[in-house]
């Protein structure tokens, strides 16, 4: 798959492209490397269309991406800290009988616990403290991400993407921060391939065999899209939260979001009726969800 690159400014007025070294074709057994030979080889490959330029984000775009990835790391650390705490309790046969973990009632339940030995109580308190610290860090990063997004050039696109079901602020900004301008992809199929959501294939002659998804490209954006796709297991509905997110958006964006709900919710039920595994269905929905996000980015203009 080919992705158009951003032309970088050059003092001499030349158009520059960045090419991934791992994607440059090389002949086996070629052990002579000089700058002149490399320049001639790159020129021939570029003329033949055999090199793939890569997307280079701007400095402001990369800064938002770093902040979004810091939030993702904080969430991963929080989940790991919670897992260690629950594992400690299970080893001591302590189970929470409430309805939801990490709710206010669950926190009060943890505050009343006393483990059998002083050593275990110290470990328990340290784990509880770690969970509290990671939770506060996650909230700080989310708040900072929300503030920084208000002045980002992709802010209109982030707001428009939230018209889709399951695409809340964190999903929208993570996707845009990782992918940049979605309209740089010529077709939705290119975006699906870049995200690694298309099935692998091994075909020969009349035999056609499809495997699991390629998982190529950006894994951060693929993960949040798969999480967002789980919302389409329910019937189509414009909830109060979605209405609030769509309030200041154009009618074209709202129409695309509704078409996405009707199609993806129906496709989820049809695949489930055919006996497909829920994980397989979710990935299929995420693949088509990326196409609807591309369509919204097309109709949502960016500020000049």
């Amino acid at each position: 798959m080919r992705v158009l690159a951003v032309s970088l400014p050059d003092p001499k007025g030349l158009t520059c492209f960045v090419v991934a070294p791992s994607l440059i074709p090389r002949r086996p057994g070629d052990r002579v490397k000089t700058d002149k030979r490399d320049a001639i080889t790159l020129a021939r490959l570029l003329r033949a269309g055999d090199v793939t330029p890569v997307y280079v984000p701007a400095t402001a775009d990369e800064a938002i991406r770093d902040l979004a990835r810091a939030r993702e790391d904080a969430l991963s650390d929080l989940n790991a800290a919670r897992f260690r705490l629950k594992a400690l309790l299970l080893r001591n046969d302590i189970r929470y009988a409430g309805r939801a973990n990490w709710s206010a009632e669950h926190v009060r339940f943890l505050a009343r616990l006393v483990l059998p030995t002083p050593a275990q109580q110290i470990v328990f308190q340290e784990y509880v403290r770690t969970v509290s610290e990671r939770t506060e860090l996650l909230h700080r990063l989310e708040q900072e991400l929300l503030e920084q997004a208000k002045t980002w050039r992709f802010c209109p696109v982030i707001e428009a993407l939230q018209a889709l079901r399951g695409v809340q602020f964190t999903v929208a900004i993570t996707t845009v921060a990782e992918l940049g301008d979605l309209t740089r992809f010529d077709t939705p199929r290119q975006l699906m391939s870049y995200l690694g959501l298309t099935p692998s294939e091994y075909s020969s002659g009349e035999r056609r065999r499809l495997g699991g998804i390629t998982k190529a490209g950006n894994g951060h954006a693929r993960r949040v899209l798969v999480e967002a796709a789980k919302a389409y297991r329910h019937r189509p509905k414009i909830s109060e939260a979605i209405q609030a997110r769509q309030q200041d958006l154009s009618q074209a964006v709202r129409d695309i979001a509704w078409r996405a709900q009707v199609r993806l919710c129906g496709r989820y039920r049809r695949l489930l009726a055919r006996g497909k595994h829920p994980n397989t269905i979710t990935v299929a929905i995420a693949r088509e969800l990326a196409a609807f996000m591309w369509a919204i980015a097309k109709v949502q203009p960016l500020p000049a």
Side-chain angles (χ1 to χ4, degrees):
M1 183 210 67
R2 300 188 57 192
V3 180
L4 295 180
V6 175
S7 299
L8 301 178
D10 185 82
K12 296 184 179 181
L14 301 176
T15 301
C16 300
F17 297 98
V18 178
V19 179
S22 60
L23 299 181
I24 298 176
R26 295 188 182 277
R27 291 180 297 179
D30 188 359
R31 299 183 179 275
V32 179
K33 181 192 179 304
T34 64
D35 292 343
K36 181 178 179 180
R37 288 170 62 93
D38 288 346
I40 295 175
T41 301
L42 287 174
R44 289 175 176 171
L45 293 174
L46 184 62
R47 181 180 61 183
D50 292 334
V51 292
T52 303
V54 298
Y55 173 74
V56 181
T59 302
D61 302 342
E62 193 169 4
I64 297 294
R65 185 184 66 184
D66 290 339
L67 187 57
R69 290 186 179 181
R71 178 208 162 269
E72 186 177 352
D73 292 339
L75 179 60
S76 177
D77 293 341
L78 174 60
N79 291 333
R82 288 175 171 177
F83 176 81
R84 287 191 292 267
L85 176 57
K86 293 180 68 176
L88 173 65
L89 297 181
L90 287 177
R91 288 196 299 270
N92 290 273
D93 198 25
I94 300 175
R95 292 174 173 82
Y96 175 61
R99 307 184 71 180
N101 288 327
W102 312 113
S103 60
E105 178 61 31
H106 188 206
V107 173
R108 289 192 291 268
F109 165 77
L110 294 176
R112 295 191 297 265
L113 284 181
V114 178
L115 268 66
T117 65
Q120 290 176 319
Q121 186 65 25
I122 291 176
V123 175
F124 170 70
Q125 293 297 338
E126 290 295 337
Y127 281 176
V128 171
R129 180 180 178 183
T130 301
V131 170
S132 300
E133 292 175 350
R134 296 294 184 269
T135 303
E136 294 174 0
L137 174 60
L138 179 63
H139 290 165
R140 289 199 304 269
L141 290 174
E142 288 180 343
Q143 186 62 34
E144 190 62 32
L145 195 59
L146 185 61
E147 292 297 325
Q148 294 291 334
K150 294 178 180 178
T151 58
W152 194 26
R153 65 189 181 103
F154 287 116
C155 183
V157 178
I158 294 173
E159 293 177 349
L161 292 179
Q162 294 181 64
L164 293 165
R165 187 176 192 173
V167 182
Q168 299 181 4
F169 173 75
T170 54
V171 176
I173 195 169
T174 300
T175 303
V176 177
E178 295 294 338
L179 304 182
D181 187 4
L182 299 182
T183 59
R184 66 188 175 94
F185 299 93
D186 295 333
T187 62
R189 190 174 296 275
Q190 284 189 354
L191 176 58
M192 297 173 190
S193 299
Y194 181 79
L195 291 169
L197 290 171
T198 53
S200 58
E201 181 177 356
Y202 182 81
S203 301
S204 179
E206 298 180 355
R207 180 183 178 184
R208 184 168 183 261
R209 179 182 177 184
L210 297 178
I213 59 173
T214 62
K215 293 186 179 181
N218 195 290
H220 301 277
R222 181 173 62 252
R223 183 190 61 80
V224 296
L225 284 177
V226 171
E227 290 295 325
K230 296 178 181 179
Y232 291 92
R233 65 184 183 274
H234 306 292
R235 292 180 299 176
K237 178 183 178 181
I238 303 295
S239 63
E240 294 183 3
I242 297 177
Q243 286 181 356
R245 299 202 300 263
Q246 293 182 354
Q247 185 174 0
D248 299 326
L249 300 178
S250 64
Q251 188 61 41
V253 173
R254 296 182 186 182
D255 292 341
I256 294 174
W258 177 245
R259 289 200 302 269
Q261 276 213 55
V262 173
R263 175 175 173 81
L264 298 183
C265 293
R267 180 166 173 77
Y268 194 101
R269 291 196 301 271
R270 289 192 298 271
L271 292 176
L272 190 62
R274 290 168 52 186
K276 295 292 185 180
H277 193 278
N279 292 345
T280 303
I281 300 174
T282 302
V283 172
I285 299 301
R287 180 166 56 246
E288 294 199 21
L289 179 60
F292 283 105
M293 298 177 77
W294 178 88
I296 288 180
K298 277 286 188 180
V299 301
Q300 178 62 46
L302 291 174

